[in-house]
Amino acid sequence: MKKLVILGAGTAGTMMANHLQHKLDSSSWEINIIDHRQEHYYQPGFLFLPFRIYEPEDIIKTIREFIPEGVNLINDKADKIDTEGKKVLMQNGDVIHYDILIIATGCNIAPEEVDGMNGKEWGKSVFDFYTFSGALSLRNKLDEWEGGKLVIHITEMPIKCPVAPLEFAFLADSYFKHKNMRDKVEITYVTPLSGAFTKPRATATLGNLLEEKNISQINDFGIKKVDNESKKIIDYEGREVSFDLLVTIPTNKGDALIERSGLGDELNYVPTNKTTLQSLNNPDIFVLGDATNIPASKAGSVTHFEAEILTENIVRFINNEPLKEEFDGHANCFIETGDGKALLIDFNYTHEPVEGAFPFPGVGPLRLMKESRINHMGKLAFRWIYWNMLLKGNHIPFVSTAMQTEGKHF
Amino acid sequence: MQKVISGKTINVNDEGYLTDLTQWDKSLAQAIAQEEGIGELTPKHWDIIHYLQEQFKQEIPLSIRKISKSGVVNIEEFYALFPQGPLKKASKIAGIPKPVSCI
């Protein structure tokens, strides 16, 4: 019996377990998935939690309910990967051998990377919303906050879901308007990038939205430290931004296990072939989702497209066939813009987001790069799609794995 | 699009980054540095420029963090040498594309 081991049962690992359970012959392949956690969070919901658009019960289910029958869930903590011996060493001393390993250990926030970020104001006036606990304590803070300077800040790229901080800014504007206190809140968006987003045309559109919503923007800000006494963030060139409430996206890093195993780059991301998803250093290791170093967005939609291609490549690898070099960096994201509207972007390694109709060229019904209510409905419907289709490895109707160029205005 | 700088015609994108590294040379780099307000390039500047070009040729994605851990320059110095967006400016002068560390 040969063994395939998946490390991590988040979005990426769970999708792979579901795909492979269908594809691999159960008489010759045993599939194991390792994760010490009990809960599976719908991570896009962390954005909505602080504003009470979602409640905790909307976004938490168990890991176990999404692992298909025939896949063995090992509910313990992995300590290290031994690539020479082809085994995963568990914290409890168990050793799990593999013939093929899939790394899906994701990424986490690392506020300790910036001087003072997790200092005495952490959880009091400095918050993150990239973790369940962070989003929840921010919600409690916002419930009672009486206004002042709100600073939304990105520490450094890459981060999981690069549009989330912008969405947070738009939703904050909308939230304070509905609470009739927008005039008491000054919102500033501080980014290490030179504009609102990473791709030129989307940057223009999103930058205009920030301006329309009276959110001021500070670009090219390379943070050096958070001063907990004076409540300021300070950059390497000495620029200072004061805050009463700082909502920051700390540095994102791959799992510490990757570092312990000596498999990561300077941010613990695993060097990965960007078209085949095979590890660059170990042919029997494949990597997907936020754990890779590929130049694609760290986002669930990207992982979904990756999982479809990786499944094919695992089968090809088993059959000694050449791998398909097909992953194109496809990302498809709804961006909440507040007041019940959203816009949609669709892009890949080579094509930046542009205007057009989606998913049917010329027809829609969704419009790319334009705010609309139907896009917002799409974003809300996505939670159902995530739990009921995406995790189970079902193909999303009409949305192709490779990005379509038809119907787009390049 | 094309641009004439220091007596040479070069191909650049709409943000002014070279699209063909083979057109790059040291006098061109110095001319771009003047345009970007960096002034006279020092040996330390050149170390960084050569490091960036090496990384680019090996298709290694660049970030400020990576450079500050490379041993070539520390983060404070990097900001002091190329103020206001050091990685962007240094990449432009080095004739390589704007870093896509930000997706």
Side-chain angles (χ1 to χ4, degrees):
Chain A
M1 196 72 158
K2 294 210 163 184
K3 271 189 159 183
L4 182 137
V5 173
I6 303 169
L7 215 44
T11 306
T14 302
M15 286 195 291
M16 286 313 294
N18 281 286
H19 276 298
L20 290 169
Q21 196 271 331
H22 292 296
K23 291 278 175 170
L24 299 191
D25 175 5
S26 60
S27 63
S28 47
W29 281 90
E30 178 190 305
I31 306 175
N32 296 280
I33 185 163
I34 304 173
D35 201 310
H36 66 283
R37 298 167 299 179
Q38 304 299 326
E39 294 87 20
H40 186 123
Y41 293 106
Y42 174 60
Q43 296 176 68
F46 293 168
L47 170 69
F48 292 134
L49 207 54
F51 304 110
R52 290 191 176 274
I53 299 170
Y54 284 166
E55 292 299 325
E57 61 269 24
D58 295 326
I59 61 172
I60 310 175
K61 292 184 188 274
T62 62
I63 280 183
R64 188 166 292 275
E65 67 195 278
F66 296 99
I67 304 303
E69 227 171 284
V71 172
N72 181 28
L73 172 63
I74 301 168
N75 218 186
D76 276 308
K77 206 166 167 78
D79 179 48
K80 217 171 164 177
I81 302 163
D82 169 5
T83 55
E84 293 279 308
K86 297 177 71 153
K87 54 197 179 191
V88 177
L89 311 176
M90 303 296 288
Q91 232 168 38
N92 63 10
D94 286 355
V95 173
I96 297 165
H97 289 270
Y98 65 81
D99 294 285
I100 295 175
L101 179 68
I102 296 174
I103 297 178
T105 42
C107 67
N108 308 302
I109 60 162
E112 68 279 4
E113 290 286 331
V114 172
D115 187 13
M117 190 173 276
N118 60 358
K120 69 178 174 68
E121 288 298 317
W122 183 256
K124 291 192 182 123
S125 63
V126 180
F127 292 86
D128 85 285
F129 69 95
Y130 269 45
T131 57
F132 177 70
S133 61
L136 204 61
S137 34
L138 179 54
R139 179 194 77 177
N140 298 339
K141 175 76 179 186
L142 287 178
D143 277 349
E144 58 188 38
W145 196 50
E146 286 171 358
K149 291 184 174 123
L150 169 63
V151 173
I152 299 153
H153 165 253
I154 302 172
T155 302
E156 65 181 298
M157 302 304 284
I159 56 170
K160 195 192 285 267
C161 191
V163 293
L166 276 168
E167 296 181 278
F168 189 93
F170 297 145
L171 287 174
D173 166 70
S174 178
Y175 172 85
F176 292 122
K177 268 193 229 151
H178 284 110
K179 278 182 107 173
N180 288 321
M181 55 181 286
R182 183 63 181 90
D183 56 336
K184 296 196 181 74
V185 181
E186 192 184 303
I187 308 179
T188 309
Y189 188 79
V190 181
T191 168
L193 300 174
S194 308
F197 194 55
T198 56
K199 314 269 175 177
R201 280 161 76 171
T203 296
T205 306
L206 295 165
N208 288 341
L209 276 174
L210 285 172
E211 213 175 303
E212 259 172 47
K213 294 174 194 293
N214 200 18
I215 298 167
S216 46
Q217 220 184 314
I218 297 176
N219 297 334
D220 293 317
F221 192 90
I223 189 169
K224 186 178 181 190
K225 65 172 186 174
V226 178
D227 187 329
N228 286 267
E229 302 304 324
S230 63
K231 289 199 184 180
K232 280 176 184 164
I233 50 175
I234 301 164
D235 84 350
Y236 281 102
E237 292 175 40
R239 285 190 291 175
E240 298 183 344
V241 181
S242 298
F243 63 84
D244 296 303
L245 178 55
L246 174 66
V247 176
T248 185
I249 320 303
T251 301
N252 281 203
K253 288 175 86 173
D255 201 277
L257 166 143
I258 302 298
E259 190 173 20
R260 286 195 296 272
S261 310
L263 291 177
D265 64 10
E266 69 283 358
L267 284 168
N268 299 346
Y269 295 122
V270 184
T272 306
N273 180 305
K274 69 176 190 174
T275 59
T276 64
L277 304 173
Q278 187 176 40
S279 146
L280 290 181
N281 300 319
N282 303 87
D284 48 9
I285 298 181
F286 294 83
V287 198
L288 84 165
D290 299 346
T292 77
N293 78 332
I294 65 173
S297 293
K298 296 192 180 300
S301 71
V302 174
T303 307
H304 164 73
F305 300 128
E306 285 174 346
E308 296 192 345
I309 284 159
L310 183 54
T311 302
E312 265 193 71
N313 273 346
I314 299 272
V315 172
R316 285 170 163 263
F317 183 76
I318 289 171
N319 297 333
N320 284 317
E321 290 163 5
L323 302 182
K324 277 194 172 173
E325 298 181 346
E326 275 191 359
F327 185 61
D328 66 350
H330 190 189
N332 179 275
C333 316
F334 289 103
I335 303 176
E336 277 295 299
T337 52
D339 304 324
K341 290 184 188 170
L343 54 80
L344 179 65
I345 56 174
D346 194 58
F347 59 102
N348 68 9
Y349 289 139
T350 48
H351 291 82
E352 64 162 317
V354 292
E355 291 178 4
F358 187 87
F360 301 108
V363 176
L366 303 176
R367 296 275 167 240
L368 295 167
M369 290 265 281
K370 289 242 192 287
E371 276 189 285
S372 74
R373 291 198 182 275
I374 188 166
N375 286 339
H376 170 67
M377 303 311 288
K379 175 112 181 171
L380 295 184
F382 190 72
R383 180 165 55 111
W384 187 91
I385 293 174
Y386 181 85
W387 293 126
N388 294 287
M389 298 181 71
L390 213 71
L391 285 180
K392 293 177 181 160
N394 294 329
H395 188 77
I396 308 221
F398 319 122
V399 180
S400 58
T401 306
M403 194 201 77
Q404 304 265 323
T405 48
E406 241 180 293
K408 291 185 178 165
H409 313 311
F410 287 108
Chain B
M1 64 174 85
Q2 293 198 318
K3 174 177 172 177
V4 180
I5 182 167
S6 116
K8 280 184 76 173
T9 305
I10 54 166
N11 297 320
V12 294
N13 71 8
D14 50 12
E15 292 181 295
Y17 288 80
L18 257 74
T19 52
D20 179 3
L21 184 55
T22 62
Q23 294 181 331
W24 183 91
D25 63 32
K26 285 194 157 187
S27 66
L28 184 66
Q30 183 57 64
I32 300 172
Q34 296 292 357
E35 277 190 358
E36 293 293 318
I38 307 289
E40 199 66 34
L41 295 172
T42 65
K44 195 77 199 173
H45 285 105
W46 289 114
D47 286 350
I48 297 167
I49 290 165
H50 293 310
Y51 171 78
L52 294 182
Q53 290 176 336
E54 270 322 299
Q55 299 295 302
F56 171 70
K57 285 177 193 158
Q58 293 174 47
E59 294 187 24
I60 297 172
L62 287 160
S63 67
I64 290 183
R65 167 181 292 264
K66 171 162 240 141
I67 291 154
S68 67
K69 283 193 173 179
S70 65
V72 178
V73 64
N74 71 36
I75 199 159
E76 276 91 357
E77 256 185 304
F78 193 30
Y79 273 92
L81 292 165
F82 299 93
Q84 292 163 16
L87 185 53
K88 272 182 317 177
K89 289 210 170 170
S91 298
K92 196 182 253 185
I93 296 167
I96 64 171
K98 189 171 167 181
V100 289
S101 54
C102 27
I103 314 296

